[in-house]
Amino acid sequence: MIGHARTMFGSIGAIATAGVLAGALLAASGGVASAAPVSYRAVRAKSVAESIQQAATARPDAHAATSVPPGLQPPAGNVLEAQFVGRGVQVYQCTAGAWVFLEPAANLVGYEIGTSGIQTAIHYKGPTWESTTDGSLVQGTAIASEPVTGSIPQLLLQATANRGTGIFGSVTYINRLDTRGGAAPAGSCTSGQTVGVPYTAQYLFYVPGSSPNV
């Protein structure tokens, strides 16, 4: 739970949960519905090596951190610990003729503030973020939201459970920011259909502390 000491890891480890989800981008054509379910268990795994290659060109800059809207700021006493870029899909299932959100399925690449080592993680139902570098995990629940036209909203989430002593072991709050895509398809649908809508977002992770970093 919250308050565990964090452990520094300088190298990229093997994926810890190969049987669940290790990755992200669906080969869906702009989010076209599929007859078969497309849950995070069925999304194609991406290797850590591919994630590192992606990070080489997409890694965010710690000195130019994403701007956090006033309504999505974490409470005082929490500081920025890590920043990730997420790429994947938001999965929706048709229920009673309407698209209903089912789960996210995304691959995250980023870093811990003040370090140079690249970190990788997966994002799936819960919502859950699980480090594929050190095995730590955080689950959260949304407590504030800001709409984004044509995309999923920006969020502030509060941690509800933690595991391990790695990068996510002491996380208290999470931001989902700079969202692009991922919104539910418009119009009616046939019950039982499932669709994965591609999206990208920035994820900021906070831990207890006394000096604001954002």
Side-chain angles (χ1 to χ4, degrees):
M1 294 299 294
I2 295 169
H4 290 311
R6 288 181 290 145
T7 302
M8 299 294 290
F9 289 81
S11 62
I12 299 299
I15 291 179
T17 55
V20 188
L21 164 71
L25 299 177
L26 265 188
S29 302
V32 176
S34 170
V38 185
S39 73
Y40 63 86
R41 294 178 181 86
V43 176
R44 181 179 66 84
K46 296 193 70 173
S47 70
V48 173
E50 288 174 318
S51 298
I52 294 172
Q53 184 177 14
Q54 177 189 38
T57 58
R59 175 177 171 172
D61 185 346
H63 301 292
T66 299
S67 176
V68 181
L72 301 182
Q73 292 276 355
N78 295 277
V79 297
L80 182 63
E81 179 200 37
Q83 183 170 353
F84 284 76
V85 175
R87 291 178 173 82
V89 293
Q90 297 284 305
V91 181
Y92 297 88
Q93 189 169 55
C94 185
T95 303
W99 292 111
V100 177
F101 177 68
L102 186 63
E103 59 198 3
N107 194 46
L108 276 64
V109 178
Y111 60 98
E112 186 174 6
I113 301 302
T115 69
S116 58
I118 293 172
Q119 301 262 351
T120 59
I122 54 177
H123 179 36
Y124 53 90
K125 192 171 185 177
T128 302
W129 294 263
E130 182 174 356
S131 171
T132 55
T133 303
D134 60 41
S136 61
L137 175 151
V138 60
Q139 293 182 332
T141 185
I143 58 174
S145 175
E146 183 172 288
V148 177
T149 302
S151 300
I152 52 176
Q154 299 187 115
L155 299 175
L156 172 65
L157 304 100
Q158 185 172 13
T160 57
N162 300 76
R163 183 188 74 194
T165 58
I167 195 166
F168 296 147
S170 300
V171 167
T172 50
Y173 290 88
I174 304 131
N175 275 133
R176 182 179 74 185
L177 304 174
D178 296 341
T179 56
R180 298 183 182 182
S188 61
C189 56
T190 302
S191 291
Q193 287 182 302
T194 307
V195 61
V197 182
Y199 87 103
T200 62
Q202 294 269 352
Y203 290 95
L204 306 184
F205 296 88
Y206 301 86
V207 294
S210 58
S211 300
N213 289 353
V214 179

